[in-house]
Amino acid sequence: MLKEVAEKLKNSNTPVMQKIHTNNGTKLIAFGLKKGVALAEHTAPSKAKIIMVQGEVDFNMKQESYRLATLDTYDIPLKEKHAVVGVEDAIFLLLLSE
C-alpha cells in the first residue's frame, strides 16, 4: 500500500490518501504530500497519531508549529485545528482510534 502512495505521489500536486486498515474503531490511513502541498486546515475526528515514514512536513496549529521528519511521531491534539504542509516529498501514516 505504501508503494502505491509513493507511485501516486510522483504525479500528484494534491494530497494522496490510501486507507490501509480498519478494525474495531481503529483506522490506519497513508498520506503522501509533495513539497509545498498542504492538507487544508481541519480537526482530527478522534484520537490521532501521525507517524512519519519518509520526508518532512510542517504540522501547523494556531499557536504552534512542529517540523516532523522520517520516523517522528506526534499525538494530534483533539479539537485543535491544524494543517500539514510538505517541506519535502513526504509519506506518513495517520492512526485514528476511538
Side-chain angles (χ1 to χ4, degrees):
M1 297 262 187
L2 292 178
K3 285 184 180 183
E4 291 174 23
V5 172
E7 284 299 315
K8 290 178 185 177
L9 186 61
K10 290 178 184 178
N11 300 312
S12 181
N13 291 320
T14 60
V16 174
M17 181 183 91
Q18 177 75 45
K19 290 181 183 176
I20 295 178
H21 181 75
T22 301
N23 187 26
N24 295 329
T26 300
K27 295 178 185 175
L28 185 62
I29 305 167
F31 284 89
L33 294 177
K34 285 190 88 110
K35 180 179 179 178
V37 173
L39 282 175
E41 188 174 74
H42 61 283
T43 57
S46 62
K47 290 181 185 176
K49 178 184 287 271
I50 187 170
I51 305 162
M52 294 298 300
V53 175
Q54 71 180 38
E56 287 187 20
V57 299
D58 280 337
F59 186 91
N60 302 316
M61 297 176 288
K62 186 175 183 178
Q63 301 295 326
E64 300 177 87
S65 288
Y66 297 98
R67 173 105 3 127
L68 303 173
T70 303
L71 302 180
D72 284 342
T73 63
Y74 180 71
D75 290 319
I76 300 171
L78 279 174
K79 300 180 183 177
E80 182 78 36
K81 286 187 179 182
H82 60 276
V84 184
V85 180
V87 174
E88 57 183 54
D89 291 0
I91 296 175
F92 58 92
L93 300 173
L94 184 65
L95 180 62
L96 299 167
S97 59
E98 297 177 352

